[in-house]
Amino acid sequence: MASNQEPVTLTHVLHDFDQCVDIVHRHFPLLSADIVFFDHLIDNNALERDILRPFANIQADEMHNLLMDSQFRAVTDHKKIIEGILKGDAAVFHCTSVYLVALYGPSSRAIEQSETEAVIIGPHDAFTESAFTNLSLIRRKLKSSHLKVVQLSVGEVVKCDVFVLYIDGIANMDYVNVMIERIRDIEIDIIVDSNMLVQHIDDYPNTIFPLFLTSERPDLIVSKLSGGKVAVIMDESPSVISGPTSLFEFFTSPDDYYQRWVIGTATRILRYIAFIITITFTAAYVSITTYHYEMIPENLLYTLIESRNRVPFPPVFEALLMEITIELLREAGARLPSKIGQTIGIVGGIVIGQAAVQAGLTSNILIIAVALSAIASFVIPSYVMSASIRFARFFLIVLAGLWGNFGLMVGISVIIIHLSKLTSLGSSYITPVAPLEFQDWKDLFIRGPFWMLKERPTQSRTRNKVRQKMKR
């Protein structure tokens, strides 16, 4: 019976990996054993230490005793054998038994500085595509047994490991349970990045605004965890999710806390000013030059009339043309290699802007307005939020071209109403403004000194009784 069962089990596994040229099957006839693994998913040193060297130094009658060692895990489920091989285990077939040996150790990117979240002061390490490396980065900074990690699996065809992190006694368990439930309810064949995962757990998937914070900075995620937030690490993704999130978190940066509080406050206020400029400046130009010339000072009015004298388009089309051009330059600069991208961004902006003015396609003042709006958008720390604001800017430009200042006010009101409706894990997206929590304002528009920041944010403050056990 044993000889009949052995080829069936091994044949089924090899059949599942049929036409996979990267699968490795090694046969040991003297030991009546076979091993199956992916060479690029395992650590070759561990393979030599745990399997090849022991197999070379034993006889067939000693095989059973060797397989009793702790590194060999007996498995009877065919599906688990396949999943184990795909996760970097080696499957050992001996007679009628199958064992899995953990040998996972593929080559991975070293811990480097994040290119998307540059830091001036503070730690320079960033997450990588390895979930366990990311867990170790967080554990190094957050040395506490109260940091809990829940492992989940996402994907119907391709399983991907997802880890939910929270600090027991600090995090609100309502948010933790909602996060875990939403991840478990995801039904999709494959998810390859945490930014895709976010779109499956959003409260409002059709909004343009990000409802969860994603970051490649371990220090930022650790600060969110210590503030009562929930974090999600996805294997093969360098971005870690944090929630619940409010709109104002996207205008803060870890740099704010690494500097003196006065300087951090000034920098944060500058970001809010940049937000106002980038979302309204071009739209205000369109509104004023189309309907409200009386708002322009007389000296500037003559300059504006002279500048627009040769422009054949109404201001709204002029503004949309230049804004779209800026977006094309931005995307081209982001997609090209870094050195070429910088050249395209600088030279392209200067050449196209100057040529457009000389050709009479746009005015000098609009070039200044569009350039200021573009520069102000780069001040916002979050790229995802910056992209959302740029999209909203087009909406306001169109309304300003239709109805002037009235349209601009209508557009701003629609955005505010929309933001008021949004939630993140069921928590208000514009907290602590609505609901009003004045105690959280000391770390909202300003970055208060640390002696004022002893209370955790109201949004994620725990309402359970676990904290009492910690105090004991």
Side-chain angles (χ1 to χ4, degrees), residues 7 15 38 49 51 65 69 74 92 97 134 147 160 176 184 248 252 255-256 308-309 325 333 336 362 404 406 461:
H15 176 73
F38 283 106
R49 182 190 66 238
I51 296 182
N65 293 332
D69 290 349
V92 179
S97 302
N134 296 341
L147 175 61
C160 184
V176 176
R184 282 177 174 165
F248 306 100
T252 64
D255 289 344
D256 298 347
R308 284 196 44 79
N309 189 36
T325 302
L336 290 171
T362 185
F406 174 73
R461 188 174 301 152

Side-chain angles (χ1 to χ4, degrees), residues 43 83 344 348 393 427:
D43 183 349
E83 290 180 355
I344 290 293
R393 184 169 68 219
S427 174

Side-chain angles (χ1 to χ4, degrees), residues 162-303:
V162 176
F163 301 89
V164 178
L165 287 71
Y166 65 95
I167 299 182
D168 190 22
I170 295 180
N172 189 324
M173 292 306 297
D174 293 340
Y175 298 139
V176 176
N177 295 331
V178 169
M179 180 73 83
I180 293 175
E181 181 180 354
R182 289 185 183 178
I183 294 175
R184 282 177 174 165
D185 290 342
I186 295 176
E187 295 182 359
I188 192 171
D189 290 343
I190 180 175
I191 295 181
V192 298
D193 188 78
S194 58
N195 290 287
M196 292 177 60
L197 178 67
V198 162
Q199 300 176 57
H200 290 275
I201 61 176
D202 275 343
D203 296 33
Y204 295 87
N206 296 324
T207 182
I208 64 171
F209 295 97
L211 301 181
F212 289 93
L213 184 70
T214 56
S215 176
E216 297 181 8
R217 299 271 307 266
D219 56 333
L220 177 59
I221 296 301
V222 167
S223 68
K224 299 301 180 185
L225 286 169
S226 61
K229 308 284 185 179
V230 186
V232 178
I233 296 176
M234 181 176 174
D235 197 21
E236 301 301 327
S237 174
S239 299
V240 176
I241 305 167
S242 171
T245 305
S246 73
L247 172 70
F248 306 100
E249 289 186 48
F250 294 95
F251 296 91
T252 64
S253 170
D255 289 344
D256 298 347
Y257 303 94
Y258 300 144
Q259 305 179 82
R260 309 294 295 180
W261 74 270
V262 176
I263 299 175
T265 297
T267 306
R268 186 174 296 181
I269 292 174
L270 183 64
R271 295 193 194 107
Y272 285 109
I273 295 173
F275 164 69
I276 296 172
I277 291 174
T278 191
I279 200 171
T280 63
F281 203 38
T282 306
Y285 168 87
V286 172
S287 173
I288 293 173
T289 55
T290 305
Y291 298 101
H292 308 287
Y293 272 100
E294 70 278 1
M295 297 178 62
I296 305 174
E298 185 177 353
N299 294 335
L300 181 60
L301 182 60
Y302 291 120
T303 304

Side-chain angles (χ1 to χ4, degrees), residues 222-458:
V222 167
S223 68
K224 299 301 180 185
L225 286 169
S226 61
K229 308 284 185 179
V230 186
V232 178
I233 296 176
M234 181 176 174
D235 197 21
E236 301 301 327
S237 174
S239 299
V240 176
I241 305 167
S242 171
T245 305
S246 73
L247 172 70
F248 306 100
E249 289 186 48
F250 294 95
F251 296 91
T252 64
S253 170
D255 289 344
D256 298 347
Y257 303 94
Y258 300 144
Q259 305 179 82
R260 309 294 295 180
W261 74 270
V262 176
I263 299 175
T265 297
T267 306
R268 186 174 296 181
I269 292 174
L270 183 64
R271 295 193 194 107
Y272 285 109
I273 295 173
F275 164 69
I276 296 172
I277 291 174
T278 191
I279 200 171
T280 63
F281 203 38
T282 306
Y285 168 87
V286 172
S287 173
I288 293 173
T289 55
T290 305
Y291 298 101
H292 308 287
Y293 272 100
E294 70 278 1
M295 297 178 62
I296 305 174
E298 185 177 353
N299 294 335
L300 181 60
L301 182 60
Y302 291 120
T303 304
L304 179 61
I305 293 174
E306 182 182 354
S307 177
R308 284 196 44 79
N309 189 36
R310 298 177 55 203
V311 179
F313 308 115
V316 62
F317 291 114
E318 178 191 8
L320 289 175
L321 174 64
M322 294 312 302
E323 288 286 356
I324 292 173
T325 302
I326 289 294
E327 292 302 320
L328 290 174
L329 287 172
R330 190 198 304 263
E331 285 300 309
R335 301 292 175 257
L336 290 171
S338 58
K339 294 183 180 179
I340 302 176
Q342 293 174 5
T343 305
I344 290 293
I346 297 172
V347 177
I350 295 174
V351 172
I352 292 177
Q354 185 66 29
V357 172
Q358 291 179 355
L361 298 177
T362 185
S363 64
N364 287 318
I365 296 180
L366 177 64
I367 292 293
I368 296 173
V370 171
L372 280 176
S373 297
I375 293 172
S377 68
F378 290 116
V379 177
I380 299 170
S382 171
Y383 174 81
V384 180
M385 177 56 71
S386 176
S388 302
I389 292 172
R390 296 193 330 252
F391 184 87
R393 184 169 68 219
F394 282 93
F395 172 67
L396 293 180
I397 290 173
V398 173
L399 290 181
L402 292 174
W403 300 314
N405 284 349
F406 174 73
L408 183 58
M409 291 301 103
V410 168
I412 293 174
S413 300
V414 169
I415 293 174
I416 293 175
I417 293 171
H418 177 68
L419 291 173
S420 302
K421 183 184 71 173
L422 298 178
T423 58
S424 176
L425 291 179
S427 174
S428 172
Y429 189 58
I430 57 173
T431 183
V433 173
L436 192 61
E437 298 287 349
F438 278 119
Q439 59 185 352
D440 292 339
W441 282 50
K442 53 199 172 189
D443 194 22
L444 184 63
F445 301 108
I446 67 169
R447 198 235 91 181
F450 286 120
W451 61 266
M452 292 178 58
L453 305 180
K454 296 180 180 179
E455 287 288 334
R456 296 189 181 97
T458 306

